[in-house]
Amino acid sequence: MRNSHASKALALSAALALTLTACGGGNEAGGNGGGGDTNKVITANTTEPQHGLLPANTNEVGGGRVMDMIFTGLVSYDAKGKVVNELAESIETEDSQNYTIKIKADQKFSDGSPITSSSFVDAWNFGAAAKNAQLNSYFFESIKGFDEVQAKDAKTDVMEGLKVVDETTFTVELSQPESDFPQRLGYTAFYPLPEAAFEDPDAFGQNPVGNGPYKLTEWNHDVNLMLEPNENYDGPREAQNGGINFKVYQSTEAAYQDLVSDNLDVLDQVPPMNLAQYQDDLGDRSVNSPYAGNATITIPSYLDHFKQDEEGNLRRQAISMSIDRQQIIDKIYYGGKVIAKDFTAPVLEGYNDALPGAEVLTYNPEEAKKRWAEAEKISKFGDSELTIGYNVDGAGNKEYVEAVVNQVKNNLGINVAPKPYTSFKELRNEVTKYKMTGAFRTGWQADYPSLYNFLGPLFGTDAGSNDGKYSSEEFDKALSEGLAAKTPQEGAEVFNKAQEILMKDLPAIPLWYQAVQGGWSNNVENVTFGWNGVPLYQEITGK
Amino acid sequence: MISFVLKRFLQLIPVFIGATLLVYFLVFATPGDPIAALSGGKPMSPAVEDALRAQYNLDKPFWVQYGLYLKNLFTFDLGMSFSGQEVKDLLARAFPVTARLAVIAMAIEAVFGIIFGVIAGMRKGKIFDSTVLVLSLLVIAVPTFVLGFVLQVVVGVQLGWAKPTVSGQATWGELILPGLVLGLVSFAYVLRLTRTSVIENKTADYVRTATAKGLSRPRVITVHILRNSLIPVVTYLGADLGALMGGAIVTEGIFNVPGIGNLLFKAIRFGETPTVVAIVGVLVIIFVVANLVVDMLYALLDPRIRYA
């Protein structure tokens, strides 16, 4: 394996990923598809969770991957991002606005306390109320009554859209029809909480009691989190191993050395400096597959010459067409990413890689020059400088932003320069205050597998992560139409129509889809990586 | 002597307050908004943002923030981290680990640095001396992270003599490899300092007198040459202790040691002022105490130095 070509290794691992996914499918049907030792405690890499482990307060991967193992919601996602019922018996709606949710009877948290409809309603109300300062509170914004619990000096901390009918039934009323609401319910923010959590949420966050395939038995801060299988769990994600030991790593470099010496079982992020040789190092124990995330460059519409008009659109299109994405992927990522062909990600249901208008994302220096010249006729940009901002504390940012800068500079013959920010917080501070003086790097990782999650929060008028201050009536209309669709499938079609509008305006310039580069040790098998790039830990077995 | 020590301890108070004020201001003045970083680029509702700002006193002016911090300090309340843990607990976990690492590094650089330095100095110009000089130059020239990675891959991955990373307990045994990496650069300096100092002293009048008196060579070397040569070395070691504790960040990162360096790095990145100030405060105290010990060692090494 050591001497084989990288392309061969790539093909091999891709084939392997396919077989493993098939194995994953087998597991859901019950039983252990691939065989192997189901008593082994596997070790996996993580970062120290940034906050206490509360569903509505966990918004980063370090805490998220633990939460997804120790909690479960109404639904969960399989490896392909397909929605699977967990605690939900049924989620019914006729108008995509009023939902009746029935949960399975006789379900228990890991401490034995019962899971009832109140476990959900109380947890969601807690997550939404501004006074609890939960980072994920915006996830509840579509529920009726959200504005009241978010108001300054709120008089109530209960959303009127949530009503308990009986022990196992509750209803949800949204403030507008949203067909992809059921898809969201597998996200961390929507997990239920036992009654005990509300007495002292901070203490609970340090010592959470959940209902997932595992329970947290030990949390040594900055060192590790120990998970044991939860006997009270009865769902599709049953643990196929003896537990998970999440080891906290300060750097992926250290984790990688542990992986190649079999001191770590699963790693979901090969560090940039090992990308060139990891497939040789690990052979058929490595994986490279796209997940639901992308990298983009945003040229905000509040910049002169880049306003949301014909001139600005032409310039954005010209810049997009002057970027040779494949070259950057080959040179910097050793082929480990896939060229973006839309604003979402390929693993999602409804993804279309041939949207009309997508040619603006294809490298075409001649056309790029032409469009830039047309824009120059409308108003002169001349020798003014366009900067592309990035934060230096993220590995690899500098390399790709500088490559983009050079390509745009050479292909359009204009004055472009990279603009480093010392930290993510500094960059985000300027971005969220709309004070940027140039373009900047952006990207999105899906919270839940849905096209809408890549569109609404980023490009809807005044949406929370609309960094470029994009606003289009036509697009907003298409979004609400998509949300009002009867089924998620119909919705996806409308969302793809909406993307055609974005192709013209380019509120962000898609570069490539993210891919997970990971690997596993000689001691484990049945390793699959999910739609979000996180391994399906519960399916991993010992050898 | 006692009044000297007391005076030095009293000096610690303004130094400590000055240092914490400065650091508090520096973290305050770093560009960027900690709350924006907390959201991780995802949207955050304004009401939640306000609530968080109030929770961490970030909505107040600088002097009020610092005043509140000092007030809490007197009741030994070091504040809370963004992760909802007491900064006190963070320190209690990380400092012993880094202290063990620093002690190992210190022992390696002091013991081997001084022994090799004395031998090289006594055999100036001989083969041992030249070899050691070239090797130490090499160690100084190679950056710590290169040395760390190379040792990790060779010893940890290829030879398999040790695990590439340290476990959560960070025991003495596990810390030998990272301690070696951390101490190597200073080892080279200690070696060179000792060597120069020994060469200078071995031609001194009192050494010739001692030899003429008929004292044995080992006694001349250890009691007369070495003792007098140690003053610059001890000065360097004293300052180095603080540097080892605060500067172990690269080594800790490579070997995944859960110590102070990583804690400080994370806290600065997220703009977590209470944690940064607490760590730097403790480091200031260590620096001051280490220098005090060095000053007292002077008197021990050279009888001509007296403290009234």
Side-chain angles (χ1 to χ4, degrees), chain A residues 22 70 80 92 147-148 154 273 280 336 338 344 355 411 419 475 489 498 520 531:
Chain A
I70 61 175
K80 293 265 173 216
E92 280 165 10
D147 291 342
E148 282 74 30
M273 69 176 223
D280 283 342
V338 180
T344 66
L355 288 173
N411 289 329
K419 185 177 182 189
F475 178 73
Q489 288 75 17
W520 53 96
W531 64 278

Short mmCIF file of all heavy atoms in Angstrom, two decimals, chain A residues 22 70 80 92 147-148 154 273 280 336 338 344 355 411 419 475 489 498 520 531:
data_model
loop_
_atom_site.label_atom_id
_atom_site.label_comp_id
_atom_site.label_asym_id
_atom_site.label_seq_id
_atom_site.Cartn_x
_atom_site.Cartn_y
_atom_site.Cartn_z
N ALA A 22 -23.05 0.58 3.24
CA ALA A 22 -23.97 -0.55 3.14
C ALA A 22 -24.05 -1.28 4.47
O ALA A 22 -25.13 -1.64 4.93
CB ALA A 22 -23.50 -1.50 2.05
N ILE A 70 -25.00 11.35 23.65
CA ILE A 70 -25.65 11.14 24.95
C ILE A 70 -27.10 11.63 24.96
O ILE A 70 -27.80 11.46 25.94
CB ILE A 70 -24.86 11.80 26.11
CG1 ILE A 70 -24.75 13.31 25.93
CG2 ILE A 70 -23.48 11.18 26.24
CD1 ILE A 70 -24.11 14.00 27.11
N LYS A 80 -26.46 9.10 5.47
CA LYS A 80 -26.73 9.89 4.27
C LYS A 80 -27.49 11.18 4.58
O LYS A 80 -27.88 11.90 3.67
CB LYS A 80 -27.57 9.05 3.31
CG LYS A 80 -26.83 7.86 2.76
CD LYS A 80 -26.23 8.24 1.42
CE LYS A 80 -25.34 7.15 0.90
NZ LYS A 80 -24.20 7.71 0.20
N GLU A 92 -47.16 14.91 12.50
CA GLU A 92 -48.18 15.11 11.48
C GLU A 92 -48.51 16.57 11.30
O GLU A 92 -48.55 17.34 12.26
CB GLU A 92 -49.45 14.33 11.85
CG GLU A 92 -49.34 12.87 11.49
CD GLU A 92 -50.40 12.03 12.16
OE1 GLU A 92 -51.34 12.62 12.75
OE2 GLU A 92 -50.29 10.79 12.11
N ASP A 147 -40.85 35.66 19.81
CA ASP A 147 -40.52 37.07 20.00
C ASP A 147 -40.83 37.52 21.42
O ASP A 147 -40.11 38.34 21.99
CB ASP A 147 -41.28 37.94 19.00
CG ASP A 147 -40.78 37.72 17.59
OD1 ASP A 147 -39.66 37.18 17.46
OD2 ASP A 147 -41.50 38.04 16.64
N GLU A 148 -41.90 36.98 22.00
CA GLU A 148 -42.29 37.40 23.36
C GLU A 148 -41.25 36.95 24.38
O GLU A 148 -40.90 37.71 25.28
CB GLU A 148 -43.66 36.84 23.72
CG GLU A 148 -44.85 37.58 23.11
CD GLU A 148 -45.02 37.28 21.63
OE1 GLU A 148 -44.66 36.17 21.22
OE2 GLU A 148 -45.51 38.16 20.88
N ALA A 154 -38.81 40.29 29.30
CA ALA A 154 -39.91 39.44 28.85
C ALA A 154 -40.85 39.12 30.01
O ALA A 154 -40.41 38.85 31.12
CB ALA A 154 -39.36 38.16 28.25
N MET A 273 -0.78 19.41 7.56
CA MET A 273 0.58 19.01 7.20
C MET A 273 0.69 17.52 6.88
O MET A 273 1.69 17.09 6.32
CB MET A 273 1.57 19.40 8.30
CG MET A 273 1.44 18.62 9.59
SD MET A 273 2.75 19.15 10.72
CE MET A 273 3.28 17.58 11.37
N ASP A 280 -1.28 7.19 2.25
CA ASP A 280 -0.20 6.20 2.22
C ASP A 280 0.05 5.63 3.60
O ASP A 280 0.29 4.44 3.77
CB ASP A 280 1.09 6.83 1.69
CG ASP A 280 1.05 7.00 0.18
OD1 ASP A 280 0.21 6.33 -0.45
OD2 ASP A 280 1.82 7.80 -0.36
N GLY A 336 -8.38 16.96 -2.02
CA GLY A 336 -9.31 16.52 -0.98
C GLY A 336 -10.58 17.33 -0.85
O GLY A 336 -11.20 17.32 0.21
N VAL A 338 -14.17 19.10 -3.28
CA VAL A 338 -14.88 19.00 -4.55
C VAL A 338 -15.35 20.40 -4.94
O VAL A 338 -15.90 21.12 -4.11
CB VAL A 338 -16.09 18.05 -4.42
CG1 VAL A 338 -16.83 17.96 -5.74
CG2 VAL A 338 -15.63 16.68 -3.95
N THR A 344 -25.28 24.99 -1.79
CA THR A 344 -25.55 24.05 -0.71
C THR A 344 -24.44 23.00 -0.65
O THR A 344 -23.27 23.35 -0.75
CB THR A 344 -26.93 23.39 -0.88
OG1 THR A 344 -26.91 22.59 -2.05
CG2 THR A 344 -28.01 24.45 -1.02
N LEU A 355 -27.50 23.25 -11.91
CA LEU A 355 -28.51 24.30 -11.85
C LEU A 355 -28.29 25.28 -12.99
O LEU A 355 -27.14 25.58 -13.34
CB LEU A 355 -28.40 25.05 -10.52
CG LEU A 355 -28.86 24.31 -9.27
CD1 LEU A 355 -28.54 25.13 -8.04
CD2 LEU A 355 -30.35 24.03 -9.35
N ASN A 411 -5.80 37.06 -13.51
CA ASN A 411 -6.75 36.84 -14.57
C ASN A 411 -7.53 38.10 -14.94
O ASN A 411 -7.93 38.27 -16.08
CB ASN A 411 -7.73 35.72 -14.20
CG ASN A 411 -7.04 34.38 -14.22
OD1 ASN A 411 -6.10 34.16 -14.98
ND2 ASN A 411 -7.47 33.47 -13.35
N LYS A 419 -6.05 40.25 3.18
CA LYS A 419 -6.06 41.07 4.39
C LYS A 419 -6.23 40.17 5.61
O LYS A 419 -7.33 39.70 5.89
CB LYS A 419 -7.21 42.08 4.32
CG LYS A 419 -7.20 43.04 5.49
CD LYS A 419 -8.28 44.08 5.37
CE LYS A 419 -8.23 45.06 6.52
NZ LYS A 419 -9.38 45.95 6.54
N PHE A 475 -35.96 36.46 -4.05
CA PHE A 475 -35.38 35.31 -3.36
C PHE A 475 -36.16 35.01 -2.08
O PHE A 475 -36.48 33.86 -1.78
CB PHE A 475 -33.91 35.59 -3.05
CG PHE A 475 -33.22 34.49 -2.29
CD1 PHE A 475 -32.90 33.30 -2.91
CD2 PHE A 475 -32.91 34.64 -0.95
CE1 PHE A 475 -32.27 32.28 -2.23
CE2 PHE A 475 -32.27 33.63 -0.24
CZ PHE A 475 -31.96 32.45 -0.89
N GLN A 489 -39.53 17.28 -0.31
CA GLN A 489 -39.08 17.08 -1.69
C GLN A 489 -39.55 18.22 -2.59
O GLN A 489 -38.76 18.77 -3.37
CB GLN A 489 -39.61 15.74 -2.24
CG GLN A 489 -38.96 14.51 -1.65
CD GLN A 489 -39.43 14.22 -0.23
OE1 GLN A 489 -40.46 14.74 0.22
NE2 GLN A 489 -38.67 13.42 0.51
N ALA A 498 -34.79 28.98 -6.24
CA ALA A 498 -34.31 30.17 -5.53
C ALA A 498 -32.80 30.34 -5.75
O ALA A 498 -32.30 31.45 -5.85
CB ALA A 498 -34.63 30.06 -4.04
N TRP A 520 -8.78 5.56 10.74
CA TRP A 520 -8.97 4.80 11.96
C TRP A 520 -7.82 3.83 12.17
O TRP A 520 -7.03 3.59 11.24
CB TRP A 520 -10.32 4.10 11.98
CG TRP A 520 -10.64 3.23 10.79
CD1 TRP A 520 -10.46 1.89 10.69
CD2 TRP A 520 -11.21 3.65 9.54
NE1 TRP A 520 -10.88 1.45 9.47
CE2 TRP A 520 -11.34 2.50 8.73
CE3 TRP A 520 -11.62 4.88 9.03
CZ2 TRP A 520 -11.87 2.55 7.44
CZ3 TRP A 520 -12.14 4.91 7.74
CH2 TRP A 520 -12.27 3.77 6.97
N TRP A 531 -23.18 12.33 7.24
CA TRP A 531 -23.45 13.45 6.33
C TRP A 531 -22.78 14.74 6.80
O TRP A 531 -22.52 15.63 6.00
CB TRP A 531 -24.97 13.68 6.26
CG TRP A 531 -25.52 14.10 7.59
CD1 TRP A 531 -25.84 13.29 8.63
CD2 TRP A 531 -25.76 15.43 8.03
NE1 TRP A 531 -26.27 14.03 9.69
CE2 TRP A 531 -26.23 15.36 9.36
CE3 TRP A 531 -25.63 16.70 7.44
CZ2 TRP A 531 -26.55 16.48 10.10
CZ3 TRP A 531 -25.96 17.82 8.19
CH2 TRP A 531 -26.42 17.71 9.50
#
